Amino acid sequence: MRLKHVLESLRPREEVVATFGEAQLIRGQDGKCELRGGTPGDRQEAKEWILMFWHEANVRGLE
């Protein structure tokens, strides 16, 4: 097995970018982001943070 494949298998599949109360902003290995969980207030806080600091992100679950 090549070293590149070993390193890729050790790399986490998902990374928690930020948390907002119980809501978590997750970035997948493919670079796409998703907002999971939280109360409506937590999700609103996350949406405001994303619009202010990471406005170029395309986040699933922000409806």
Side-chain angles (χ1 to χ4, degrees):
M1 188 182 264
R2 296 192 123 156
L3 182 59
K4 178 181 176 183
H5 296 295
V6 171
L7 293 176
E8 285 180 7
S9 68
L10 294 175
R11 185 174 170 198
R13 301 282 183 224
E14 297 180 335
E15 172 187 10
V16 177
V17 176
T19 58
F20 306 92
E22 295 294 318
Q24 292 185 324
L25 184 59
I26 308 288
R27 181 179 17 214
Q29 194 173 13
D30 59 358
K32 295 181 181 177
C33 295
E34 181 178 4
L35 185 62
R36 294 184 189 162
T39 65
D42 296 339
R43 298 177 73 75
Q44 181 62 33
E45 183 181 346
K47 184 176 182 178
E48 291 172 6
W49 183 87
I50 291 165
L51 290 173
M52 184 173 278
F53 296 108
W54 201 14
H55 50 86
E56 69 275 2
N58 185 8
V59 180
R60 290 175 281 177
L62 268 185
E63 294 79 40

